[in-house]
């Protein structure tokens, strides 16, 4: 299959309204433009629409909705000595693949995707945006309670490779602090925003923040362009193989519609959908 540009290089159409998408599977609605992920320069794609945050009852750090849960701390980052600083795929020798999701957008769609994965016995990796956690703090524990990996996708999802050192530190640490407050851990992974691969500076800053590796991918679903569920499935299944790490997004109805077919085809090929931690362990 001939690759075009990655989802980090394309300008997407507006994200679909979930109710309309559930009627048609691929209907689109207007979305608000925000920074996307770009492999070569600063471009933008729509952020999936997110449900309104509940009325404020205080500051983010003291609100009851964002106070730490009295549950065991979440897993912490691990060093994998056989892996490079930037991980784009796992071992090609085991029949496993990792589906990774950029965590942003309508929380109802996020929960639907998690439920669909769990129904098929799959576990995924979710890299969350810090400001999204501010709006939907309960989703951090929901992800962990489902047996999924939870990681850091920066505070505001801006072009981190183009930032000054101080601003990049704030982006990495801002999301890490939110994860720590909500789960007891900074998350198991860091993925840079608006780029498939971190710059050497961002790699170093992520290590300094406690992440031994930065996470990339080798299969791009292009789901954020809303090409239709069948196209999302083709984009994934045309390139996935043992050890692959796939880039997907919360917040898009095409992704919800495509996921059952993707998981069924993985089963047919004898590939298990596992967390990135399991993929590399």
């Amino acid at each position: 299959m001939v690759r075009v540009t990655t989802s980090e290089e394309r300008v997407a159409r507006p994200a679909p309204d979930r109710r309309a998408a559930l009627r048609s599977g691929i209907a689109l609605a207007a979305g608000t433009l925000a920074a996307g992920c770009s492999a070569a320069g600063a471009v933008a794609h729509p952020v999936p629409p997110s449900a309104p945050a509940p009325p404020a009852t205080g500051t983010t750090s003291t609100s009851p909705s964002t106070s730490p849960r009295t549950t065991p701390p979440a897993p912490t980052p691990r060093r994998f000595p056989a892996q490079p600083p930037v991980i784009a795929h796992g071992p090609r020798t085991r029949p496993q693949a990792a589906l990774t999701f950029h965590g942003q957008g309508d929380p109802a769609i996020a929960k639907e995707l998690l439920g669909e994965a769990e129904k098929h016995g799959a576990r995924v990796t979710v890299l969350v945006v810090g400001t999204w956690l501010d709006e939907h703090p309960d989703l951090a524990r929901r992800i962990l309670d489902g047996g999924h990996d939870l990681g850091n996708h920066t505070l505001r999802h801006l072009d981190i490779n183009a930032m000054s050192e101080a601003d990049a530190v704030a982006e990495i640490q801002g999301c890490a602090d939110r994860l720590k407050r909500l789960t007891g851990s900074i998350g198991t992974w860091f993925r840079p925003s608006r780029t498939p691969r971190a710059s050497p500076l961002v790699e170093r800053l992520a290590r300094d923040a406690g992440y031994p590796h930065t996470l990339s991918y080798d299969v791009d679903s292009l789901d954020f362009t809303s090409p239709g569920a069948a196209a999302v499935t083709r984009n994934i299944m045309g390139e996935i193989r043992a050890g692959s790490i796939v880039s997907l997004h919360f917040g898009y109805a095409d992704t919800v519609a495509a996921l059952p077919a993707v998981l069924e085809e993985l089963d047919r090929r004898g590939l298990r959908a596992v967390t990135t931690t399991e993929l590399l362990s």
Side-chain angles (χ1 to χ4, degrees):
M1 170 179 177
V2 177
R3 291 292 303 276
V4 288
T5 56
T6 69
S7 66
E8 320 302 355
E9 298 169 318
R10 294 280 301 274
V11 176
R13 298 190 298 272
D17 179 81
R18 182 170 181 270
R19 292 172 295 177
L22 293 177
R23 293 195 296 267
S24 67
I26 59 170
L28 302 178
T32 58
L33 287 176
C37 296
S38 172
V43 297
H45 70 68
V47 171
S50 182
T57 57
T59 65
T60 299
S61 60
T62 59
S63 170
S65 65
T66 59
S67 59
R69 297 284 299 273
T70 56
T71 52
T76 56
R78 288 175 51 187
R79 184 179 302 280
F80 294 89
Q83 296 296 327
V86 177
I87 298 175
H89 63 81
R92 301 297 191 184
T93 55
R94 297 198 299 268
Q96 301 174 334
L99 304 180
T100 69
F101 290 84
H102 300 233
Q104 204 172 12
D106 184 349
I109 293 182
K111 291 173 184 176
E112 189 169 357
L113 283 163
L114 293 170
E116 188 65 37
E118 292 157 10
K119 185 171 72 177
H120 284 79
R123 296 297 179 264
V124 303
T125 300
V126 183
L127 296 314
V128 292
V129 174
T131 52
W132 188 66
L133 286 181
D134 288 342
E135 295 177 355
H136 313 292
D138 59 305
L139 280 172
R141 184 52 60 180
R142 168 65 185 88
I143 291 163
L144 291 171
D145 288 348
H148 311 288
D149 272 359
L150 178 65
N152 178 335
H153 194 38
T154 75
L155 177 60
R156 296 174 295 162
H157 200 265
L158 304 177
D159 186 1
I160 193 167
N161 281 353
M163 291 181 177
S164 68
E165 180 169 344
D167 288 344
V169 167
E171 285 295 308
I172 297 168
Q173 197 62 51
C175 187
D177 290 345
R178 284 156 172 79
L179 287 166
K180 180 78 171 180
R181 186 176 68 245
L182 292 169
T183 72
S185 167
I186 63 172
T188 48
W189 297 102
F190 170 73
R191 173 173 283 169
S193 51
R194 293 190 69 179
T195 175
R197 185 182 181 100
S199 68
L201 171 63
V202 172
E203 285 180 41
R204 176 174 65 79
L205 297 177
R207 285 195 302 273
D208 292 346
Y211 302 97
H213 306 274
T214 60
L215 189 62
S216 186
Y217 51 87
D218 65 330
V219 177
D220 196 332
S221 71
L222 297 175
D223 58 345
F224 82 96
T225 66
S226 300
V232 171
T233 302
R234 286 194 305 271
N235 291 340
I236 296 171
M237 302 315 303
E239 298 189 23
I240 198 169
R241 56 192 176 114
S244 283
I245 297 175
V246 184
S247 172
L248 294 134
H249 295 75
F250 280 173
Y252 294 92
D254 287 350
T255 314
V256 177
L259 191 58
V262 168
L263 293 171
E264 289 165 11
E265 181 61 16
L266 287 175
D267 286 344
R268 190 185 71 79
R269 297 188 189 185
L271 292 173
R272 287 199 311 123
V274 298
T275 65
T276 308
T277 299
E278 184 175 352
L279 182 74
L280 300 169
S281 298

